[in-house]
Amino acid sequence: MFQDKRVVVVMPAYNAASTLLATHREVLGWGIVDLVIVVDDSSGDETVAIARELPQTLVHVHERNRGYGANQKSCFRLALEEGADIVVMVHPDYQYTPKLLPAMVGLVASGLYPCILGSRILGGGALRGGMPLWKYVANRGLTFVQNLLMGAKLSEFHTGYRAFSRQLLEELPLEANSDDFVFDAQVLAEVLWAGAPIGEVSCPTKYFPEASSIGLGRSLRYGLGCLWTAFEYRSRRAGLGSSERFPDSRSLSWGSPE
Ligand SMILES: Nc1nc2c(ncn2[C@@H]2O[C@H](COP(=O)(O)OP(=O)(O)O)[C@@H](O)[C@H]2O)c(=O)[nH]1
Ligand SMILES: [Mg+2]
């Protein structure tokens, strides 16, 4: 609990056997997390066996590999079913430090921000933490275009460390999003569409082989998906087309996007 809020951490896991335990231990170490939900996307390693031994943890298994977006859909659905007031998504690959949990949860609990991102770009630690140069350049370039097209000022759209309030998650049409990696970009576009404020905290990151498996091909597809999502947002703002993600009527409590 944080103040009177039930805090649930969700981990979309795929072949995370070597890092799950370390991530999980630090997550619980803060004493503010009520429940951890691990969703396994049909890993080929011992992820499920390890997860089932963890305390305060709900394990959900996809019988077949459905993708990172589908994994997050399960994570958020289960977290809401389990009565979460605040949901934090963190990759179980030990790339993002759980030491930021109290800060991120605190900012959501305060009511200031229904969405908080742990940014590897703010504070300038990404390259120092070992982010490959090509990923850094792609991150900066994509973020620039996404900000431009969606009228945002985020330092990065690509972090795997995100906190949400229950109210915001319930209002986002998450099921309309992709089952693939571009889900990450689509969620943030939906948050912006809802006019909900997004806060960022700087987040140290570390790259090591187990923490980074996405290669050039899948990254390219992801990048194109990010750009397409931003264009779709821009078009919808101009009143063109239709999209489940960006509906005409925005009966949301955060007001209209600028
Ligand atoms: N559900 C699911 N997750 C995946 C799959 N492939 C990779 N991931 C997860 O996606 C996340 C991001 O991938 P990662 O290789 O860490 O990317 P990077 O850290 O940005 O270089 C990690 O948490 C992986 O476990 C997959 O096929 N299904
Ligand atoms: Mg990673």
Side-chain angles (χ1 to χ4, degrees):
M1 293 291 245
F2 186 90
Q3 294 168 343
D4 55 346
K5 307 267 194 294
R6 183 165 163 80
V7 178
V8 175
V9 169
V10 297
M11 296 182 177
Y14 183 64
N15 292 340
S18 61
T19 51
L20 178 59
L21 204 62
T23 315
H24 189 278
R25 188 179 303 127
E26 271 192 46
V27 163
L28 284 191
W30 291 101
I32 57 171
V33 174
D34 297 276
L35 180 71
V36 178
I37 298 177
V38 177
V39 176
D40 177 78
D41 200 28
S42 209
S43 294
D45 65 6
E46 296 301 299
T47 298
V48 174
I50 293 170
R52 290 209 164 112
E53 298 296 316
L54 297 171
Q56 271 176 267
T57 301
L58 178 79
V59 184
H60 180 79
V61 181
H62 286 177
E63 291 307 328
R64 58 179 176 86
N65 185 260
R66 286 167 46 195
Y68 172 68
N71 196 326
Q72 279 194 63
K73 288 176 192 174
S74 298
C75 284
F76 291 131
R77 177 178 53 76
L78 290 164
L80 294 178
E81 279 173 21
E82 291 295 324
D85 296 309
I86 297 173
V87 182
V88 187
M89 190 266 288
V90 64
H91 291 173
D93 63 3
Y94 207 45
Q95 186 166 35
Y96 302 86
T97 174
K99 290 180 178 156
L100 277 184
L101 270 176
M104 293 173 71
V105 167
L107 279 164
V108 176
S110 69
L112 286 175
Y113 294 102
C115 175
I116 292 287
L117 306 179
S119 166
R120 301 163 294 180
I121 302 298
L122 266 186
L127 288 173
R128 245 192 344 264
M131 183 185 280
L133 189 61
W134 69 271
K135 282 203 178 184
Y136 180 80
V137 171
N139 185 318
R140 303 294 284 154
L142 286 173
T143 296
F144 178 78
V145 178
Q146 287 170 295
N147 275 327
L148 204 66
L149 288 175
M150 298 193 284
K153 280 200 185 65
L154 297 180
S155 66
E156 73 156 316
F157 280 80
H158 312 289
T159 172
Y161 202 3
R162 300 158 173 223
F164 300 91
S165 72
R166 177 183 192 88
Q167 186 194 358
L168 180 57
L169 279 183
E170 280 179 336
E171 291 183 6
L172 299 179
L174 296 179
E175 288 298 328
N177 292 337
S178 164
D179 284 346
D180 202 354
F181 285 103
V182 74
F183 179 94
D184 268 350
Q186 293 172 333
V187 171
L188 293 183
E190 288 178 347
V191 175
L192 291 169
W193 185 259
I198 301 177
E200 296 183 276
V201 294
S202 54
C203 175
T205 184
K206 41 184 184 259
Y207 273 77
F208 49 101
E210 294 81 11
S212 185
S213 61
I214 308 302
L216 189 61
R218 290 173 87 186
S219 294
L220 261 178
R221 198 168 67 182
Y222 168 74
L224 289 175
C226 289
L227 295 178
W228 173 250
T229 303
F231 276 115
E232 190 188 22
Y233 181 102
R234 187 76 243 154
S235 311
R236 292 291 298 131
R237 288 290 291 138
L240 302 171
S242 67
S243 161
E244 249 188 282
R245 255 191 299 287
F246 310 122
D248 282 332
S249 58
R250 299 199 293 271
S251 59
L252 298 165
S253 359
W254 326 97
S256 303
E258 287 170 23

